[in-house]
Amino acid sequence: MPDQIGLTDRQPSYGTFHEVDRNDQNGGGGPEMVSENGMNEMEKTSSKKLKYPKSVFFIIVNEFCERFCYYGMRGVLALYLKDSLQYSENNATIIYHMFVMLCYFSPVFGGIMADAWLGKYNTILYVSLIYAAGNIVLSFGSVEALSIPHKELSILGLILIAVGTGGIKPCVSSFGGDQFVLPQQERQLQRFFSVFYFSINAGSVLSSFLTPMLREYHCLGSNEDCYPLAFGLPAALMIASVVIFIMGSPMYKKNSPQGNIAIQVSGCISHAVANKIGSKENKKHWLDYAEDRYNSKLIADIKVLLRIIYLFTPTIVFWALYDQQGSKWTFQASRMNGDLGWFTIQPDQMQTLNSVLVLIFIPLFESVVYPILAKLRLVRTSLQKLVVGGFLAALAFLLSGILELRIQQENPTLPGSGQSELVLYNSLNCSATINGIPNVPQLPALDFLDLNGISSEPANVTLSTDCAGSWSGTLELKENKVFSYMLLIENNNLSLTQLNMTEGNNEMIKSQTSTPKLKILYTGVDQLSILAKTTDNIRNFTIDYGSHQSKQITMPLFGWYSITVNGKFIADIKLKQGGIYVLMLEGNLDNMTSKLLTVVKPNGMSMLWQIPQYVVITSAEIMFSITGLEFSYSESPDSMKSVIMSLWLLTDSFGNIIVLIIAGFKLANAAYEMFLFSGLMSVVMLYFIYLACQYTYVDRSQRGKEEKDEPVIEQTRI
């Protein structure tokens, strides 16, 4: 296959070409490539429309399979680290983000390897094998029934996956771009990047729905989940990705690597800096001081490289916002209600809306939005699209911050300075009157009172009932603390038993995963073994002899649970998203009754209120990410395409670092953090406008003219 972009020997309709002397044909000039019918190559290229390269379909299907693998694996990774490998939530979060950062940092090495040594095809092939091996290792390491070092194998698998996915990221899209002839197929190239991005999100949509479902099965010795299957399917898709990529090999246009470009660039820059320091002459550009050792073509390419890097710098903040769909926005969804009546949305499923919208928006923007904006002369160039996309991202976080303020109005209020909270549970069949704490209503029968904001001083209290006499005593109340007591009959006398708050105030804080919390109270003294069962999940509660209570447990799902006590069915209860519940048991096993108390109300705001911010962030993604891919490829020198594509991906890695830095400040209010990101994005895009106004586009019609020492540039236009 020919190495240079242009006509290939797979276009027989163009005729066979041979050299003729223009002195014989036209009375002078040098040799020219002329077809048998006397038409030169450039005329033939422009006289007949080039066929769309079939090879790109193999590349697009390959990308679909690879993205299915990546997003399917990543979608359940955080839960696997926490629940299966038993990392703490904080450590699991750190490992997760380190993995994502490595995935977007390793493209730098993949790009250098492709442009300098192996070429794009070989780099994709060899690194994909490492990628597939990493998925196999991760799947194997997740089999609980095997006596193997699960943590070590899983981390090894993640490292191999990060190296693999990062190594091919900058190569696949640019390798697809290599299949087109420029400038004749510039429009087809732009459509390719849209279809390429479409395949990414199609794989993401399917995998993000399917792999969580596979995880819920029981297999290979696990009683609660099946991570080997959840990781195994992505591994199979990655293997299929390699096979499909190899199948297209005879059709690919494979450009040869052009030397160790990284060493050449670093050498040229360092030599120019050294010469500038010791030189007294003034040159137009500081890189021109390297002219004594490096050719002008390399110097011109490095100038383009540095201009693009300089332009990319502000885009880092965009990825800091975009990647929080999987963290901040998911946590926000966990504090909302996903019950639609006929279907219940899981918090981590809301991310899928982004991928679904991408599939809808790509053809919509290509066929409707962009033509209208161009006709109105509002948005016509790549940099203009990037600017609009950045401001849309800022708007999305402004909307999410406003929504967060509304959600916080439903959160339980914990006691503040000088205050305490008292929760009283009444297990009796009659109400109780409380004296000693002012303005307290009656404590209902078989119910509870939540007294928040009362004095933090110990209180002398008398509880009077119609069915069990009275109780007098002192209740210990401390500042910023929650105390709970249960009113019951012990040894035929009224008693007030303090419940052991082993989790402290956390018993009144909603779960971060939107799942409900349940605690069980018992008026008797027997030891109870209690099971709360759904179709696929079981949670065990134990009440020790005389303790009257179980530990509070975060339930795996919301919905209906069947309660059995010592093997005997007691009741069916329904737990809703985000709710905190107490199940009160009364009587002996032969005649046991139950009542479910809602201690903290379940989430009230519908998750559908997140749709506006997802619509806006997806619009931003279409205008920013897809445009950035096409801009990176089309503006970069031929010798540095994979390197510059990797630098575009590297901005995503740095974006994650910004998230971690800001998260380290631990702002008191999540809404304020979202407003901070929105403001930061807006300020950065103002600076980006300034940089864009200074940028000059490369004239792609002059790319192939080797006699030009520098790329021809068009007039400055944002």
Side-chain angles (χ1 to χ4, degrees):
M1 296 293 291
D3 293 328
Q4 301 300 324
I5 294 179
L7 296 177
T8 75
D9 56 5
R10 298 191 63 83
Q11 294 168 310
S13 60
Y14 289 171
T16 57
F17 293 88
H18 57 276
E19 276 195 32
V20 298
D21 195 330
R22 289 190 60 88
N23 289 324
D24 296 333
Q25 299 292 328
N26 298 314
E32 184 184 29
M33 299 301 291
V34 179
S35 64
E36 289 181 342
N37 60 7
M39 187 175 290
N40 64 43
E41 184 175 351
M42 186 60 68
E43 291 170 342
K44 176 59 73 175
T45 302
S46 60
S47 66
K48 187 171 183 178
K49 184 178 180 181
L50 294 170
K51 293 182 178 180
Y52 197 91
K54 296 180 181 179
S55 55
V56 301
F57 294 107
F58 289 92
I59 297 172
I60 289 171
V61 176
N62 163 269
E63 182 68 10
F64 169 84
C65 294
E66 188 273 327
R67 291 290 86 185
F68 184 104
C69 169
Y70 176 74
Y71 285 109
M73 177 276 303
R74 202 176 88 166
V76 297
L77 177 59
L79 293 176
Y80 172 67
L81 293 171
K82 179 178 179 292
D83 297 336
S84 185
L85 296 187
Q86 298 298 306
Y87 284 105
S88 68
E89 184 171 334
N90 187 57
N91 289 337
T93 300
I94 292 174
I95 294 172
Y96 176 85
H97 279 285
M98 290 297 292
F99 168 73
V100 174
M101 289 172 59
L102 182 57
C103 287
Y104 285 94
F105 187 79
S106 54
V108 174
F109 304 104
I112 293 174
M113 191 169 13
D115 283 345
W117 299 304
L118 298 178
K120 299 183 185 70
Y121 174 80
N122 288 331
T123 300
I124 295 171
L125 177 59
Y126 299 154
V127 177
S128 292
L129 295 175
I130 298 175
Y131 193 170
N135 280 279
I136 294 172
V137 170
L138 178 62
S139 302
F140 184 72
S142 65
V143 181
E144 295 182 2
L146 298 177
S147 299
I148 54 177
H150 297 285
K151 287 187 176 181
E152 290 78 3
L153 283 176
S154 298
I155 297 300
L156 174 61
L158 290 176
I159 293 174
L160 293 176
I161 291 171
V163 171
T165 186
I168 68 174
K169 276 180 188 294
C171 303
V172 178
S173 57
S174 59
F175 185 60
D178 287 347
Q179 311 306 307
F180 295 87
V181 178
L182 297 179
Q184 295 91 329
Q185 293 184 306
E186 181 176 345
R187 182 57 181 165
Q188 290 92 326
L189 174 65
Q190 293 175 352
R191 289 187 180 275
F192 161 74
F193 280 110
S194 293
V195 175
F196 183 83
Y197 210 78
F198 186 95
S199 69
I200 291 174
N201 287 275
S204 172
V205 168
L206 292 177
S207 62
S208 58
F209 269 114
L210 189 56
T211 51
M213 295 171 60
L214 296 176
R215 176 181 59 83
E216 294 180 358
Y217 286 98
H218 303 163
C219 68
L220 301 176
S222 174
N223 294 324
E224 295 186 0
D225 46 47
C226 187
Y227 285 104
L229 183 58
F231 291 139
L233 181 62
L237 264 291
M238 189 60 222
I239 295 172
S241 173
V242 177
V243 174
I244 292 170
F245 183 72
I246 295 175
M247 288 172 60
S249 180
M251 299 184 185
Y252 296 142
K253 183 187 301 180
K254 305 171 186 175
N255 294 341
S256 298
Q258 300 185 20
N260 195 331
I261 193 66
I263 294 178
Q264 293 180 41
V265 170
S266 59
C268 181
I269 291 176
S270 59
H271 184 68
V273 172
N275 279 358
K276 179 176 173 58
I277 294 175
S279 176
K280 295 182 179 180
E281 63 176 317
N282 293 322
K283 292 184 178 292
K284 188 175 181 180
H285 193 283
W286 63 271
L287 272 173
D288 294 335
Y289 287 93
E291 288 176 338
D292 61 328
R293 181 178 297 181
Y294 295 90
N295 63 65
S296 57
K297 179 66 169 62
L298 176 64
I299 293 174
D301 286 351
I302 295 176
K303 290 178 182 178
V304 176
L305 171 66
L306 295 179
R307 291 208 324 268
I308 294 176
I309 291 176
Y310 188 44
L311 188 66
F312 278 176
T313 303
T315 66
I316 293 172
V317 180
F318 173 84
W319 300 111
L321 275 65
Y322 178 81
D323 284 342
Q324 291 186 66
Q325 293 178 75
S327 55
K328 298 294 184 182
W329 285 14
T330 299
F331 291 145
Q332 184 183 69
S334 71
R335 298 187 291 274
M336 304 177 75
N337 184 7
D339 188 2
L340 303 180
W342 53 274
F343 179 75
T344 301
I345 307 171
Q346 301 285 347
D348 49 358
Q349 286 181 327
M350 281 300 295
Q351 304 173 58
T352 309
L353 180 60
N354 169 252
S355 298
V356 173
L357 289 173
V358 166
L359 300 181
I360 298 171
F361 282 6
I362 285 178
L364 179 64
F365 271 69
E366 286 289 334
S367 59
V368 179
V369 177
Y370 286 152
I372 292 177
L373 292 176
K375 190 172 183 179
L376 296 174
R377 303 179 66 85
L378 294 176
V379 178
R380 292 179 293 170
T381 68
S382 297
L383 293 180
Q384 288 173 345
K385 293 176 184 177
L386 290 171
V387 169
V388 175
F391 280 116
L392 285 175
L395 175 60
F397 265 69
L398 178 63
L399 294 175
S400 66
I402 295 173
L403 179 61
E404 183 67 26
L405 290 176
R406 178 64 182 84
I407 295 171
Q408 289 174 2
Q409 296 177 7
E410 298 181 346
N411 290 340
T413 303
L414 295 177
S417 177
Q419 298 178 335
S420 64
E421 184 171 355
L422 174 63
V423 183
L424 295 172
Y425 295 96
N426 185 5
S427 66
L428 308 178
N429 288 312
C430 61
S431 60
T433 302
I434 305 171
N435 297 314
I437 300 177
N439 302 319
V440 176
Q442 277 195 332
L443 176 59
L446 296 172
D447 214 322
F448 79 104
L449 278 180
D450 185 0
L451 308 177
N452 195 358
I454 61 177
S455 173
S456 58
E457 300 294 328
N460 296 317
V461 174
T462 298
L463 293 99
S464 303
T465 69
D466 295 332
C467 59
S470 62
W471 177 92
S472 297
T474 302
L475 299 181
E476 182 182 7
L477 301 174
K478 293 183 180 179
E479 186 178 29
N480 303 125
K481 297 295 183 181
V482 179
F483 293 87
S484 60
Y485 294 83
M486 183 166 66
L487 190 63
L488 47 77
I489 296 177
E490 288 185 315
N491 299 322
N492 296 322
N493 294 316
L494 184 64
S495 173
L496 191 65
T497 300
Q498 182 173 356
L499 302 177
N500 181 24
M501 298 290 290
T502 57
E503 297 297 327
N505 293 356
N506 288 336
E507 285 199 359
M508 303 298 290
I509 298 176
K510 292 184 176 183
S511 167
Q512 285 295 313
T513 59
S514 186
T515 50
K517 291 182 176 181
L518 178 64
K519 185 172 185 174
I520 299 178
L521 302 181
Y522 177 46
T523 60
V525 296
D526 300 316
Q527 180 169 331
L528 303 181
S529 177
I530 305 164
L531 297 181
K533 299 186 294 184
T534 66
T535 304
D536 298 312
N537 291 274
I538 298 176
R539 284 295 182 267
N540 296 292
F541 295 82
T542 300
I543 297 180
D544 294 330
Y545 181 83
S547 68
H548 301 296
Q549 65 176 326
S550 72
K551 291 182 178 180
Q552 185 186 72
I553 294 180
T554 300
M555 307 303 285
L557 300 169
F558 36 84
W560 287 98
Y561 283 85
S562 177
I563 305 298
T564 60
V565 179
N566 290 359
K568 182 180 179 180
F569 171 79
I570 299 298
D572 287 323
I573 62 174
K574 185 177 183 180
L575 309 181
K576 298 181 179 181
Q577 284 179 296
I580 299 178
Y581 299 91
V582 163
L583 180 64
M584 190 178 295
L585 302 178
E586 183 183 21
N588 53 44
L589 283 175
D590 295 330
N591 187 26
M592 183 171 287
T593 61
S594 66
K595 183 177 183 180
L596 184 67
L597 306 177
T598 303
V599 180
V600 174
K601 291 182 179 180
N603 301 341
M605 282 203 73
S606 172
M607 287 185 195
L608 298 182
W609 281 105
Q610 280 195 324
I611 291 179
Q613 65 199 53
Y614 271 102
V615 169
V616 176
I617 197 69
T618 305
S619 300
E621 179 185 2
I622 297 298
M623 303 191 76
F624 202 94
S625 186
I626 297 178
T627 304
L629 280 173
E630 190 273 331
F631 179 84
S632 302
Y633 179 84
S634 60
E635 292 294 300
S636 60
D638 292 338
S639 60
M640 302 179 184
K641 289 194 180 297
S642 292
V643 172
I644 291 183
M645 295 294 282
S646 67
L647 292 175
W648 171 254
L649 295 170
L650 186 62
T651 59
D652 198 322
S653 178
F654 290 151
N656 278 273
I657 295 176
I658 292 177
V659 174
L660 293 176
I661 291 174
I662 293 181
F665 286 102
K666 297 180 180 179
L667 298 181
N669 194 308
Y672 298 160
E673 187 170 321
M674 293 176 181
F675 292 142
L676 175 62
F677 276 108
S678 178
L680 180 62
M681 187 74 230
S682 299
V683 172
V684 165
M685 291 317 296
L686 292 175
Y687 178 59
F688 183 79
I689 292 175
Y690 168 76
L691 295 180
C693 289
Q694 312 301 315
Y695 187 80
T696 49
Y697 286 77
V698 172
D699 185 354
R700 279 162 272 183
S701 66
Q702 304 295 323
R703 282 274 187 181
K705 296 185 177 182
E706 296 180 355
E707 67 271 15
K708 297 290 184 180
D709 289 334
E710 297 185 15
V712 178
I713 55 178
E714 300 174 343
Q715 64 180 3
T716 301
R717 52 189 174 90
I718 184 176

Coordinates of all heavy atoms in Angstrom, one line a residue, residues 42 110 131-132 228 246 256 271 378 466 601 657:
M42 N -3.3 15.3 -10.8 CA -4.1 16.3 -10.1 C -5.4 16.6 -10.8 O -6.4 16.7 -10.2 CB -3.3 17.6 -10.0 CG -4.0 18.7 -9.2 SD -4.3 18.1 -7.5 CE -2.7 18.1 -6.9
G110 N 1.5 6.4 23.4 CA 0.9 5.8 22.2 C 1.1 6.6 21.0 O 1.4 6.1 19.9
Y131 N -4.3 -4.6 25.8 CA -5.6 -4.2 26.3 C -6.5 -5.4 26.6 O -7.1 -5.5 27.7 CB -6.2 -3.3 25.3 CG -7.4 -2.5 25.6 CD1 -7.9 -1.5 24.8 CD2 -8.1 -2.7 26.8 CE1 -9.1 -0.8 25.1 CE2 -9.3 -2.0 27.1 CZ -9.7 -1.0 26.3 OH -10.8 -0.3 26.6
A132 N -6.5 -6.3 25.6 CA -7.3 -7.5 25.8 C -6.8 -8.4 26.9 O -7.6 -8.9 27.7 CB -7.3 -8.3 24.5
P228 N -17.2 -11.5 37.4 CA -16.6 -12.2 36.3 C -17.3 -12.1 35.0 O -16.7 -11.9 33.9 CB -16.4 -13.6 36.8 CG -16.4 -13.5 38.3 CD -17.3 -12.4 38.6
I246 N -8.0 -6.5 12.4 CA -7.1 -7.2 11.6 C -7.8 -7.6 10.2 O -7.2 -7.5 9.2 CB -6.7 -8.5 12.3 CG1 -5.8 -8.1 13.5 CG2 -5.9 -9.4 11.3 CD1 -5.4 -9.3 14.3
S256 N 3.8 5.4 6.8 CA 5.0 5.0 7.6 C 5.3 6.0 8.6 O 5.1 7.2 8.4 CB 6.2 4.8 6.6 OG 5.9 3.8 5.7
H271 N 18.0 23.1 21.3 CA 19.0 23.8 20.5 C 18.7 25.2 20.2 O 19.5 26.1 20.3 CB 19.3 23.0 19.2 CG 20.4 23.5 18.4 ND1 21.7 23.4 18.8 CD2 20.4 24.2 17.2 CE1 22.5 24.0 17.9 NE2 21.7 24.4 16.9
L378 N -23.3 32.9 12.6 CA -23.0 33.0 14.0 C -21.8 32.1 14.4 O -20.9 32.5 15.1 CB -24.2 32.6 14.8 CG -25.4 33.6 14.8 CD1 -26.6 33.0 15.5 CD2 -25.0 34.9 15.3
D466 N -51.1 6.0 79.3 CA -52.4 5.5 79.8 C -52.4 4.0 80.0 O -53.3 3.5 80.7 CB -53.6 5.9 78.9 CG -53.8 7.4 78.8 OD1 -53.5 8.1 79.8 OD2 -54.2 7.9 77.7
K601 N -37.4 11.0 55.4 CA -38.2 10.8 54.2 C -37.3 10.5 53.0 O -36.2 10.9 52.9 CB -39.0 12.1 53.9 CG -40.1 12.5 54.9 CD -40.8 13.8 54.5 CE -41.9 14.1 55.4 NZ -42.6 15.3 55.0
I657 N -7.3 16.1 37.4 CA -6.5 16.6 38.4 C -7.1 17.9 39.0 O -7.1 18.1 40.3 CB -5.1 16.9 37.9 CG1 -4.4 15.6 37.5 CG2 -4.3 17.7 39.0 CD1 -3.0 15.9 36.8

